[in-house]
Amino acid sequence: MKHPVSTEISDGILSVTIDNPPVNALSAAVRAGLMAAREQAVAARQVRAVVLAAAGRTFVAGADIREFNAPPSPPLLPELVAAIEETGKPWVALLHGTVLGGGLELALGCHARLARPGTALGLPEVRLGLIPGAGGTVRLPRLIGALPALEMITGGRPVNAEQAQETGLIDAITTGDPMAEARARALALAGAAPPKGLIARAAPEIDDAGVWDKALARVAAKARGQIAPVEAAAAVADALRLPAGAALAAERQRFMALKDSPQSAALRHVFFAERAAGKMPELADVRPRPLQRIGIVGGGTMGAGIAAACLMAGLPVTMVERDGALARRGAKNLRTLLDGSLGRGVIDRSAHDRALAGFAAGDDLTALAPSDLVIEAIVEDMEEKAALLSRLEAVVGPDTVLASNTSYLDIDQMSDGLADPGRVIGLHFFSPAHVMKLLELVITARARDDVVATGRALGRLLGKIVVPARVGHGFIGNRIMSAYRRACEAMLQDGALPAEIDAAMRDYGYAMGMFEMQDMAGLDIAWAMRRAQAAGSAGQETPERYVDIADRLCEAGRFGRKSGAGWYRYDDGHAVPDPEVSAIITASSARAGITRRRIGAEEIMERCLGAMIEAGRAVLAEGIARSAADIDVVMVNGFGFPRWRGGPFHAAGISDG
Ligand code: 3H9
């Protein structure tokens, strides 16, 4: 096998190239190769300076996460970085792609950093339940200052090349031939005196203790049960007050403890599960159909959200509504979403304007004729959707893929009346569709492989995490969500109150409890669906235990936040427990003949998780989901399950084995 690190000496410069696809992770072999290159730089008298670069799509994207399940093998990364720093000859890192984690720490061991345009740099370790473990918390503050370093290390968000240049993280962005510029910089640094590394610098002073304390408090408040961000902040604080050597040792200790923590194991599980989700070996040799123009029917929240997602990914969209007024409303909805994305800095002005320029809305279905893929996002009604698919089939070309965004309905039944049901798939987006990363790709019974591949290709173009599912009421996520919603409502009838269940879920790590979330989303749609189900139109099994509390709430006009009251009352926008709701709940218990009892937080979460696992097992047994890991990905990315708990199956200690 080719060695992942190669070297070449010319004109006094040792060029070191890392070539370890796909992302040049710092495996043991790469570390050994770099250590050997460092020895070569020391030993070879003609070498005056070193340029470190990487082949392929990126500079080093971090330590090799796959190695984290075993004890590290030498040379260790902190030792390598220190050795590079103390070579006695300057190293210049030439960066491109995503310079992350151990990759950035490696660059911080060098004596100068140049980045090609478009490079992103970050220390995302907290997202894996870790902190930088190779000197990042000690060197970065010495380079860019205490507060910017705290933000990068505890937030985990990468910065772009321009921001990196502003803070001094990189010395320059290359403008011409990057390698020539890096070589010139290396020779310029090669002088009589050995170059000083960042570790030799004094730690920065904190200018304003009040601001610093507030920043630390913000990290703790945002962590919501996660250890890594708090540990990361503590490591940066250590770096400011301890001698460098002691701070490095303290960082390493923290890193090693976190590496073996359940939180990091859970986050690493989700990292790999997300990447495995979209892998569909059966499609390995299947070419997706072209995707140049997307059609969307329906301009409500979902239709507009999907349109925004497509437009922001550079795909032109034609939206069709039932009449001109609705089309104008759809266009307005879309504009609001794009403006919001501009306001949040997700897109810049030119991307915003390009997105708008690629958009058309109207009330004529024939405008969808040139579309490569049409997504219906109309009202959740089988007959209406089935009729729409038939009308679409008459309008579009023979190769156009038709997709339904239904959340629950049987798409096989929906496409029964089509001449070519093999062109139909489900693309189940989550609201807001331009923000949420999850996409359930529903593979209908008759879908052709290239149609499925096209759905997956669209998901990837939109930057979604694509999880394949089969047809079944509520597919993966909503089926499981319904089960634990029922479990929560059963607990209300057994003795708990909404605020107790919500608090237990928040303590577990959810941003919001079940009932706060329902109030936010509105209770009326689910109510209408339950009534439709009761009337038999959705053809779904009835749960064994029906709890009527939500129905009573809706009958009392309590539809959630938007109506000023739901599971809570809203005073000045704040959720307040409402005695009226407690009365509705206790009356329901009495009607069901249940003696109410106190249900503790632990039991609440046990019953929630138990319901998720039971429904998840059914979803697996019926072949609707491929794996427990896929279910974990769905619940984390679509339903607020705390990522650092790894998803319900990981949390319950169940793996695909
Ligand atoms: C760290 O550095 C600790 C140090 O501080 C201290 C050490 C002592 N290792 O995401 P993609 C694989 S912690 C191993 O689909 P993209 C990935 O599994 C690390 N494998 O591509 C996939 O494999 P496969 C800090 C890795 O273009 C393939 O590469 N760094 C690693 O959408 C392609 O990945 C991070 O947390 C890795 N570090 O995104 C960065 N990274 O093809 C984590 C990726 O078999 N990585 N793979 O499924 C990322 O954020 C994204 O992968 C990246 C590329 C942005 C780099």
Side-chain angles (χ1 to χ4, degrees), residues 547-640:
V547 178
D548 60 355
I549 303 169
D551 296 341
R552 299 289 93 84
L553 250 53
C554 289
E555 283 160 15
R558 307 180 69 109
F559 296 137
R561 253 174 202 277
K562 62 185 171 192
S563 67
W567 291 104
Y568 296 88
R569 202 179 65 227
Y570 290 89
D571 291 351
D572 296 333
H574 294 290
V576 183
D578 188 341
E580 248 179 62
V581 175
S582 307
I584 292 174
I585 292 172
T586 45
S588 170
S589 307
R591 271 197 306 281
I594 293 168
T595 310
R596 294 178 63 77
R597 65 177 175 88
R598 214 191 91 73
I599 302 181
E602 203 171 313
E603 183 182 341
I604 289 173
M605 283 322 298
E606 247 169 46
R607 284 174 69 171
C608 268
L609 272 179
M612 287 187 216
I613 297 294
E614 193 188 322
R617 284 195 196 280
V619 160
L620 284 172
E622 291 165 30
I624 292 167
R626 292 179 317 183
S627 65
D630 276 4
I631 293 178
D632 283 343
V633 169
V634 167
M635 299 318 287
V636 165
N637 288 288
F639 295 86

Side-chain angles (χ1 to χ4, degrees), residues 158-206:
V159 296
N160 63 32
E162 288 73 22
Q163 292 163 325
Q165 190 170 21
E166 236 164 72
T167 56
L169 177 54
I170 58 171
D171 297 273
I173 301 173
T174 60
T175 50
D177 174 352
M179 186 47 83
E181 288 176 34
R183 292 175 72 91
R185 176 77 58 146
L187 286 179
L189 288 177
K196 277 216 169 77
L198 290 174
I199 214 73
R201 293 191 189 176
E205 300 282 331
I206 294 172

Side-chain angles (χ1 to χ4, degrees), residues 109-446:
C110 296
H111 305 94
R113 286 150 293 278
L114 300 190
R116 296 183 195 225
T119 304
L121 305 94
L123 290 170
E125 283 89 342
V126 288
R127 295 183 178 190
L128 295 171
L130 301 168
I131 65 166
T137 65
V138 183
R139 290 189 181 86
L140 189 66
R142 286 169 159 76
L143 182 61
I144 67 172
L147 270 174
L150 184 76
E151 184 167 332
M152 272 188 84
I153 293 169
T154 59
R157 265 181 310 281
V159 296
N160 63 32
E162 288 73 22
Q163 292 163 325
Q165 190 170 21
E166 236 164 72
T167 56
L169 177 54
I170 58 171
D171 297 273
I173 301 173
T174 60
T175 50
D177 174 352
M179 186 47 83
E181 288 176 34
R183 292 175 72 91
R185 176 77 58 146
L187 286 179
L189 288 177
K196 277 216 169 77
L198 290 174
I199 214 73
R201 293 191 189 176
E205 300 282 331
I206 294 172
D207 309 326
D208 185 332
V211 173
W212 176 254
D213 288 346
K214 266 201 201 125
L216 290 182
R218 251 199 321 275
V219 172
K222 263 178 67 181
R224 274 212 318 269
Q226 286 189 72
I227 309 166
V230 178
E231 285 288 291
V236 177
D238 275 353
L240 303 184
R241 75 186 168 84
L242 296 178
L248 285 174
E251 174 200 81
R252 184 72 184 166
Q253 218 173 10
R254 285 199 161 92
F255 171 82
M256 293 304 285
L258 287 170
K259 188 168 80 79
D260 296 333
S261 69
Q263 291 197 2
S264 179
L267 287 161
R268 272 143 49 196
H269 160 71
V270 177
F271 178 87
F272 287 116
E274 285 176 349
R275 277 149 187 86
K279 296 216 164 78
M280 299 168 67
E282 67 276 22
L283 299 183
D285 301 320
V286 181
R287 268 168 68 117
R289 297 180 183 181
L291 277 172
Q292 266 149 28
R293 176 158 278 281
I294 305 298
I296 294 175
V297 186
T301 309
M302 280 317 292
I306 298 168
C310 294
L311 290 162
M312 279 158 55
L315 287 167
V317 170
T318 304
M319 177 190 278
V320 173
E321 259 289 3
R322 270 185 316 224
D323 57 42
L326 286 172
R328 280 191 294 281
R329 191 201 60 165
K332 195 170 155 223
N333 289 344
L334 168 83
R335 211 191 158 104
T336 307
L337 298 181
L338 289 179
D339 289 351
S341 296
L342 176 66
R344 290 195 310 279
V346 179
I347 46 173
D348 62 19
R349 171 62 64 186
S350 69
H352 171 271
D353 296 351
R354 261 198 316 278
L356 269 183
F359 178 71
D363 61 358
D364 178 6
L365 219 52
T366 61
L368 299 178
S371 305
D372 297 308
L373 183 147
V374 179
I375 306 169
E376 71 75 19
I378 64 166
V379 57
E380 196 71 355
D381 179 280
M382 177 61 89
E383 273 174 34
E384 290 208 32
K385 284 188 192 274
L388 173 62
L389 289 188
S390 292
R391 287 172 62 212
L392 280 170
E393 192 175 43
V395 165
V396 299
D399 293 330
T400 302
V401 173
L402 299 180
S404 171
N405 176 53
T406 177
S407 316
Y408 289 92
L409 298 175
D410 181 334
I411 307 174
D412 288 328
Q413 188 190 336
M414 198 187 291
S415 42
D416 267 346
L418 297 188
D420 178 14
R423 58 157 68 183
V424 180
I425 47 168
L427 289 177
H428 182 216
F429 289 85
F430 290 76
S431 186
H434 63 309
V435 175
M436 296 285 279
K437 294 285 277 179
L438 180 64
L439 177 65
E440 284 179 346
L441 169 62
V442 186
I443 306 168
T444 54
R446 289 161 293 199

Side-chain angles (χ1 to χ4, degrees), residues 447-519:
R448 274 192 294 278
D449 282 350
D450 64 335
V451 170
V452 177
T454 309
R456 182 176 66 157
L458 177 68
R460 289 188 167 170
L461 265 172
L462 305 187
K464 302 294 181 200
I465 297 167
V466 180
V467 180
R470 292 276 174 180
V471 173
H473 187 77
F475 312 114
I476 302 175
N478 276 329
R479 165 91 168 266
I480 295 172
M481 166 78 170
S482 300
Y484 78 94
R485 178 185 53 74
R486 287 199 298 271
C488 288
E489 294 183 9
M491 284 190 272
L492 292 182
Q493 213 176 37
D494 289 345
L497 290 173
E500 290 166 342
I501 292 177
D502 286 346
M505 290 180 74
R506 266 188 271 104
D507 286 349
Y508 187 77
Y510 275 87
M512 235 186 245
M514 168 63 73
F515 298 106
E516 296 162 311
M517 191 197 66
Q518 285 188 22
D519 270 1

